[in-house]
Amino acid sequence: MTQTATRSELKVPATAAIHDDDRAVVDVEALGELLLGRWAATRRVARELAGRPEVHRIEGQSHADQRSRCFDQLHYLVENKAVHRAFPAELGGEDDHGANIAGFEELVVADPSLQIKAGVQWGLFGSAVLHLGTEDHHRAWIPGIMNMDIPGCFAMTETGHGSDVASIATTAVYQPETDEFELHTPFRAAWKDYIGNAAIDGRAAVLFAQLITGGVNHGVHGFYVELRDADGNFRPGIGGEDDGLKGGLNGIDNGRLHFTKVRIPRTNLLNRYGNVDSEGVYTSPIASPGRRFFTMLGTLVQGRVSLDGAAVAVTKLALKTAVQYSVERRQFNAGSDLKEEVLLDYQQHQRRLLPLIAATYAASFAHEELLAKFDDVFSGAHDTDEDRQDLETLAAALKPLSTWHALDTLQECREACGGAGFLTENRFTSLRADMDVYATFEGDNNVLLQLVAKRLLADYAKEFSGVDFGVLARYVVTQRAEKTLHRSGLRRVVQTVVDGGSERKSAIALRDEHTQHELLSDRVEAMVAELAGELRGVRKLSQEAAAEKFNEHQHELIETAKAHAELLQWEAFTAAVHQVDDAGTKQVLTWVRDLFGLCLIERNLAWYLMNGRLSTQRARTLSPYINRLLAKIRPHAVDLVDAFGYGPEHLRSAIATGAEKERQDEAMAYARQQRASGTFPIDEKTVLARTAKAKAKR
Amino acid sequence: MTQTATRSELKVPATAAIHDDDRAVVDVEALGELLLGRWAATRRVARELAGRPEVHRIEGQSHADQRSRCFDQLHYLVENKAVHRAFPAELGGEDDHGANIAGFEELVVADPSLQIKAGVQWGLFGSAVLHLGTEDHHRAWIPGIMNMDIPGCFAMTETGHGSDVASIATTAVYQPETDEFELHTPFRAAWKDYIGNAAIDGRAAVLFAQLITGGVNHGVHGFYVELRDADGNFRPGIGGEDDGLKGGLNGIDNGRLHFTKVRIPRTNLLNRYGNVDSEGVYTSPIASPGRRFFTMLGTLVQGRVSLDGAAVAVTKLALKTAVQYSVERRQFNAGSDLKEEVLLDYQQHQRRLLPLIAATYAASFAHEELLAKFDDVFSGAHDTDEDRQDLETLAAALKPLSTWHALDTLQECREACGGAGFLTENRFTSLRADMDVYATFEGDNNVLLQLVAKRLLADYAKEFSGVDFGVLARYVVTQRAEKTLHRSGLRRVVQTVVDGGSERKSAIALRDEHTQHELLSDRVEAMVAELAGELRGVRKLSQEAAAEKFNEHQHELIETAKAHAELLQWEAFTAAVHQVDDAGTKQVLTWVRDLFGLCLIERNLAWYLMNGRLSTQRARTLSPYINRLLAKIRPHAVDLVDAFGYGPEHLRSAIATGAEKERQDEAMAYARQQRASGTFPIDEKTVLARTAKAKAKR
């Protein structure tokens, strides 16, 4: 097995753009710039901060110490102007929503607990006051929230209800006699639960409760409520519990809260989208309770956007460490008696790590598009209802993929580094423990994917309700593209390709960009069309029968949403490849994009075969082709992870420092020296062979 | 959606055997007995012990406290006669190898750290002295090892070499002048690393080093060496480091050790398989250095066997908790305005949990067969070289599947329980953190699978080398079964089935046991045959070219080994189903076995399509059929996890106690009471609808 050294290993300059496939060179710096994206400047500032020891986690601390350190770090973030970019300029912010998220998500590199604790304070609690409240609320509380005088909670989730926010059971009943709301927790399942800052630090909260006035429930609204006095004791009627230790993120004091007939002034209702006057009359600028609920929950989307970005960032850290180790670590000497192979020269190791790099590039570029969309909406540049829905759908599509991808990557990297991967000093395990909950908070991944699927179907329902499945399917191919899927974030969709149908099409290799796109988008369209057909007429059924029908297709709904999200990632990756000028970089990045696309197709190969999209012959070429692609990308692996741009101050992993290479070099030098001095012991096997030979001669 | 209550929920007696599919009832007790297997009595004793608070982990302890508690618990295990079953009767043991492992693996239910710490002391360190040493060694050290007077280490792995034990670099050079061995660590990569008990507790070690005498290296041998004096200080020439915090298993003090020209008596060589006399002459009862190495490492197999069993046990814990929660927890009320659905009535939730239950049954029955094989070999009942090789291959096949399955299951269960799953009090996250390293220690899973693949190929090589691929493939079908694969643990293999070839075959439904077996075994055979064909002539190549050729097929090798291991699991599951007499239990268990088999086929569906084993039409029926099977199994889910036989003292999970049901009942009672008393607030939506209706009337 020939060892293929990387450019970095060979110290080849990064500048030369070489067109020859086998000598393609990645311009690491330019690629890094592309990855940094539109908010590169903010990211640089945020990364510099994230590299400082002051914001790092100290491993092995008790959770009490971890919490208190994390709390202090919030003040450090304030001092260093790291967390106010989204607040209004008149209150000391920068009114810059995209930059805010870009900077915020890089905090994960310092410590996921810090990212989430900051997210609770400014992204959830502060944001709720800002977006759901009105001017008086802003004046009264935003300054204190910004500067940490008021550490606060976002008290939405209850023990009994997480994903289904509309069903929370805490009530806020208007009391005309005293012009107050009475907050009340009617039973144990209605306790607020898993609430960050609730166990210790929270002085106040935005509490979500069913607003009831005059015997009518107007649905979930946010109320500003003081939780604790200056000494940190709960105010009368308020109680709580510590959620205690968690699987990760132990820098955050999650807890439970309950309210027993707690009175707050009527004006503590955050009344931007719904108000109650002193007569108890409810008014809202949004007539439909459904739309109002959707709008109020809209602020939650920024959490999903930033979790998507944070997941991508952590994935980059893990891959840099694992790839660096894999080009230094040697194990087994199958090919030679003298030299062992570096891990990344093993095909299986390439199969394990390189597709993860490819998926990380895809997720990174897709996140950049999500962030742009988010900035468009929150800056007000493009802020129609439809824009907001598109943003919601895009976030709901991408966050599940990237958070699961982060977990898979951290685990694969940990295993790929063997025992060293299990040591805390190499960080995989702690990061994985922290990232675990990203898959279920701010929207359970499976629930989010169903929202995506419902959106894909809703785009049909308006125009195709009652249309026969066969007709619908045909209509999809020719007409649906711009009319419907486009709104869900899909770009123009071209006609389906049935491989093997014509010679021309059969000749299109799988590595062809157009073919990949056709295969991926065709699958989404066909799945949506099939679902729409199967669910046709569901609106005419009873509520129970309709629910049963949907449930019978729940798995397909989720698979369809995933396919859609993967296509979006592929498209974002491809758009990014098109932006690259440098020929060598473009070549390598195209291979990586191909690897991403072909691995998606390989994973769903049965679908392509069953649905006649690929011939058996073509399908059989896929796996060997992926193996060849892996071998092509192998020499560029280090460049690809170096372009992620994280330095030792971010990696902080003992095996990402070259320590393994030093050890290997020392061991090899020792063997050389022994051989040279003739002190290297002979193997028994060699002795036996010699004896046998001598015997044979006699 | 109709809620399907389980037998337990309905309090239906477990005794009646009902033949009607829809009314099948599982005899939970009998099924539990079947799962307990041959060493049921030992397992009962071990589970009783594992349920005691004395052996439980205290969450949130510092790793120093965790270590010291775990150390003390080893004494508790001694006092309670929990760990000596494998030692010779004349030394106070029971000479019972199968029972020893059965009891040992149940310790994981108390705390994985305790299981592994006990494994280090008695399963590795003690076993090495027992199996590699001779009578004098036994007399001198075994009593102290058994009673914990000598806490010890199994010092094999080095920083530079884990999976490739043959290449470790620590040397033991015989010094005829003083009749001693000199132990030496030549460079940093040769430090012993990740060694349990090394950081603090280890007084002695079995040290593995290259035995060199008269300038000849006789390969890796074990040496007994005292590490620390009575005060716990390292003896002269010995040093070390603490491995520090790990991703899990922090009850064990893993550490590094190095030796600088440390002298030990010649007789400290554990000399059962290789001896050096006072003249420095090496002798061994095993002439071949390769076979000798294999034999000496043979004791490691019991570690793999017990990890396989421990992984299965933990999987059972996790599934019981997650399934219990999933039939109590309600979320979203799609089907009714009044009542929310329990999670397990959602199709996706069934898709997530039920196949994991099926795979756990398969892994559990397969483990029982492995344990029987292990007992056969270690009791001496069937202890030929071939028996040992079969045992090694079987362990190498099953341990990767079950340890990965445990990680997947713990993660899926944790996510399926949402935020509650992330709380330490529900145990998923801590168990997952602890089990993580099971995938790479005592043999990295990917390395083990390659051993399996090489064995599968080696069984060919002897008889088919040089045979043309086409001929070979045909030969396989008719002849190979008993001659070759049988030795690797496969049972009699029947002829391949090409679906759609004949009407009769086409009519065989996928749920037919015979069809499943044909599909699964045919895949293994075809993959082995294809690999053998591709690798044909590899022995004629240069070492480097041969290695490169193997590397080009490494991914296929591993996939082939996995397919083989999955088939073994399916066969063990099926054999177990055949043992069941009770009709209801047999029916449900058959569905579960079908689910296991069909999920395997679904996962590899592309292969079956590409290789003409399934028609497109048949393949399309698979996923809907699995969905129907899930719905059939759903009512029995609680019974299936209850049969695992773990009680609250083992689960120790807040959400496995019925607490969620209590909360749900309380909430529902509250709503009922409100409705009855007329204090239930009207929804704004309802008010709006009424107003609209009234308007329309006017």
Side-chain angles (χ1 to χ4, degrees), chain A residues 56-75:
Chain A
H56 295 165
R57 168 175 173 179
I58 297 170
E59 292 287 356
Q61 278 193 323
S62 71
H63 79 293
D65 290 347
Q66 212 184 323
R67 285 170 171 190
S68 108
R69 177 174 170 85
C70 201
F71 181 75
D72 292 342
Q73 287 171 333
L74 293 193
H75 289 282

Side-chain angles (χ1 to χ4, degrees), chain B residues 670-684:
Chain B
Y670 180 85
R672 261 197 307 274
Q673 180 265 318
Q674 267 206 326
R675 282 199 168 81
S677 65
T679 55
F680 194 86
I682 311 169
D683 265 8
E684 185 186 329

Side-chain angles (χ1 to χ4, degrees), chain A residues 399-605:
Chain A
K399 180 257 181 184
L401 292 201
S402 58
T403 52
W404 276 329
H405 174 62
L407 294 182
D408 291 344
T409 301
L410 284 160
Q411 184 63 22
E412 197 65 60
C413 288
R414 137 47 209 138
E415 290 182 31
C417 295
F422 193 58
L423 298 186
T424 302
E425 66 179 31
N426 292 316
R427 291 191 73 211
F428 298 120
T429 53
S430 300
L431 284 172
R432 198 194 174 289
D434 287 338
M435 300 303 292
D436 183 356
V437 77
Y438 284 52
T440 52
F441 73 2
E442 308 257 344
D444 175 278
N445 283 357
N446 278 298
V447 174
L448 291 179
L449 289 171
Q450 285 173 79
L451 294 183
V452 175
K454 280 178 186 168
R455 173 75 194 282
L456 291 170
L457 284 170
D459 283 351
Y460 269 112
K462 290 175 220 156
E463 292 154 73
F464 305 112
S465 116
V467 176
D468 178 69
F469 172 64
V471 177
L472 179 66
R474 257 172 286 130
Y475 192 59
V476 169
V477 174
T478 51
Q479 297 287 331
R480 189 166 45 86
E482 279 152 320
K483 300 250 167 141
T484 64
L485 278 185
H486 183 67
R487 275 197 254 131
S488 317
L490 268 179
R491 284 191 200 72
R492 182 151 168 36
V493 184
V494 292
Q495 67 180 114
T496 56
V497 58
V498 178
D499 182 67
S502 81
E503 266 194 51
R504 194 193 63 76
K505 279 177 186 161
S506 199
I508 298 168
L510 285 170
R511 66 171 175 270
D512 176 70
E513 182 171 301
H514 190 67
T515 308
Q516 283 174 38
H517 189 235
E518 281 184 331
L519 286 169
L520 294 171
S521 58
D522 181 39
R523 176 157 179 263
V524 177
E525 288 171 31
M527 287 172 93
V528 174
E530 193 169 338
L531 265 173
E534 280 164 0
L535 295 170
R536 198 164 56 89
V538 81
R539 280 197 290 184
K540 291 175 204 151
L541 299 176
S542 71
Q543 187 183 1
E544 188 177 342
E548 191 163 340
K549 188 102 183 167
F550 263 104
N551 192 44
E552 278 166 13
H553 296 284
Q554 192 184 25
H555 182 63
E556 288 162 78
L557 282 162
I558 289 171
E559 292 303 304
T560 303
K562 269 189 204 161
H564 170 67
E566 287 163 350
L567 171 60
L568 296 180
Q569 288 187 326
W570 186 93
E571 289 181 329
F573 198 160
T574 300
V577 170
H578 290 175
Q579 286 177 50
V580 176
D581 292 324
D582 176 72
T585 307
K586 191 167 201 142
Q587 177 61 78
V588 173
L589 212 54
T590 303
W591 290 334
V592 177
R593 194 278 323 272
D594 289 350
L595 180 63
F596 177 67
L598 297 180
C599 284
L600 288 180
I601 293 166
E602 189 184 44
R603 209 185 306 144
N604 301 299
L605 195 53

Side-chain angles (χ1 to χ4, degrees), chain B residues 292-314:
Chain B
R292 192 190 310 142
F293 176 69
F294 170 78
T295 306
M296 286 198 276
L297 257 64
T299 52
L300 275 180
V301 78
Q302 68 180 323
R304 288 172 195 163
V305 173
S306 65
L307 294 190
D308 182 54
V312 172
V314 166

